[in-house]
Amino acid sequence: MSKGRATVAQLRKMHPGNQFLRLSAVISVLLIVLAWMTGGFVLSDVFSRRRLDNLARFLGELQPEPFRDGQFEAQALGHWVWSLLKDHGLEATFITLAISVAAIVLAGLGALLVALPTARNVASSEPFLPAGRRPSWTKRALWQSLLVATRVVLIFLRSIPEYVWAFGLLAMLGPGAWPAVLALALHNTGILGKLGGEVIENTEPATAKALRGLGSTRSQIASVSLLPAALPRFLLYFFHRWETCVREATVLGILGFASLGYWIHLDARARNRYDQMVFYVLLAAALVLAGDLVSAAARRVVRRAA
């Protein structure tokens, strides 16, 4: 034990603490104290009598309806669960899943279209190998403009949250599931397009250089070398973003279409039926968990195949 302590002390002498990190820690603590003092936070309000009464009432309303009379019958609970599933639960779950799948498929197709022009090694006047003669200024400017324009569009798409896209599309398209589908697709196209471009930029250049040296065109190199090499990594990102789409499709039900979010926010909560609200929340959590498991399994298969 003493030898270990001596070793730790020796390591500390060899690598003294970073003053910047210490200063950052002190500043962080001071900012927290300042925010607490100036933000109007009063801890006693949290435990006031009114808030405790509201908490007790809320916890009581969380109990499933069959349990509120003090009797705990499994048959009554099963009937209550089945009635919620039959009336709205199963249909809302299917709609939520369908929205997430439609959105991520559109986003994946859009990302594949823009991934090539956003990659520096493709959107270049001299792709993969220098040309025998330096390209003209006009050609270099055109390719640079394409690269910059594509990246700006992708930044714009992913910088706007899904909810903002959804409310704007709702005003243009009216009520329905399409505003949510397109909102998720646009936002995730920006993310997957950027990631796809980075994957293409980081692919092993040897094959592309060899094909270019043999006279292959840019499109031939992309279809034969770049896209097949980048596809496994792109699919990993694709399934990861699908997990997010499942979660966001649940929340975007507040727009008015009958997904799980609609029954959670605009139906059960609006009617103060908190037991039904919790049931739909748990159903959404189960859907997200199932989506995560499917996504993890798909990514595992892709890793092995790669």
Side-chain angles (χ1 to χ4, degrees):
M1 181 66 70
S2 59
K3 183 178 180 181
R5 291 177 179 176
T7 303
V8 171
Q10 184 178 4
L11 290 174
R12 287 179 176 174
K13 291 180 180 179
M14 295 173 58
H15 301 280
N18 192 318
Q19 297 298 327
F20 176 76
L21 294 178
R22 293 179 180 176
L23 180 62
S24 299
V26 172
I27 292 176
S28 299
V29 173
L30 292 176
L31 288 175
I32 293 173
V33 173
L34 179 63
W36 185 270
M37 295 175 60
T38 60
F41 301 107
V42 181
L43 191 60
S44 60
D45 287 348
V46 179
F47 302 101
S48 65
R49 182 64 184 177
R50 179 176 60 85
R51 293 183 184 274
L52 292 177
D53 290 341
N54 289 337
L55 177 61
R57 177 182 58 81
F58 176 73
L59 292 177
E61 293 177 351
L62 286 183
Q63 297 183 46
E65 186 177 2
F67 292 170
R68 292 183 182 178
D69 57 359
Q71 298 180 0
F72 299 92
E73 296 182 2
Q75 183 177 2
L77 177 63
H79 178 74
W80 178 77
V81 169
W82 173 244
S83 65
L84 291 179
L85 286 174
K86 181 180 63 174
D87 292 342
H88 307 299
L90 293 177
E91 181 184 7
T93 302
F94 177 78
I95 291 175
T96 303
L97 182 62
I99 289 172
S100 67
V101 171
I104 198 60
V105 169
L106 290 176
L109 294 175
L112 287 176
L113 292 176
V114 298
L116 291 173
T118 198
R120 292 187 181 91
N121 55 351
V122 177
S124 170
S125 57
E126 298 178 288
F128 312 112
L129 285 178
R133 184 175 59 181
R134 184 175 176 78
S136 65
W137 179 88
T138 304
K139 186 176 181 179
R140 296 199 307 271
L142 287 175
W143 279 108
Q144 185 65 26
S145 299
L146 175 63
L147 176 67
V148 172
T150 307
R151 293 194 167 209
V152 168
V153 170
L154 293 179
I155 291 173
F156 175 74
L157 292 177
R158 67 177 180 270
S159 64
I160 299 179
E162 301 95 323
Y163 315 106
V164 178
W165 277 118
F167 282 113
L169 291 167
L170 180 64
M172 290 186 291
L173 303 178
W178 273 112
V181 172
L182 295 178
L184 292 172
L186 289 171
H187 182 76
N188 283 280
T189 296
I191 295 175
L192 289 175
K194 176 182 182 296
L195 295 175
E198 291 179 351
V199 170
I200 291 174
E201 285 184 355
N202 294 320
T203 54
E204 175 59 42
T207 303
K209 288 181 178 179
L211 291 173
R212 183 63 173 173
L214 293 173
S216 299
T217 63
R218 198 187 311 259
S219 59
Q220 290 172 338
I221 296 173
S223 60
V224 173
S225 175
L226 296 179
L227 291 178
L231 186 59
R233 177 62 59 180
F234 180 81
L235 287 176
L236 297 180
Y237 293 134
F238 176 87
F239 284 109
H240 177 72
R241 292 307 305 175
W242 178 60
E243 298 176 18
T244 305
C245 284
V246 174
R247 291 189 288 269
E248 300 302 332
T250 301
V251 177
L252 288 178
I254 62 175
L255 297 179
F257 56 89
S259 74
L260 287 170
Y262 174 86
W263 298 109
I264 290 171
H265 181 74
L266 297 180
D267 182 76
R269 182 179 178 275
R271 295 186 295 113
N272 293 328
R273 297 303 305 267
Y274 294 110
D275 55 340
Q276 295 183 13
M277 183 186 74
V278 170
F279 175 81
Y280 291 126
V281 168
L282 293 177
L283 198 59
L287 178 61
V288 171
L289 177 60
D292 289 348
L293 293 175
V294 172
S295 174
R299 283 181 284 159
R300 192 179 304 114
V301 171
V302 170
R303 289 193 187 97
R304 292 175 179 174

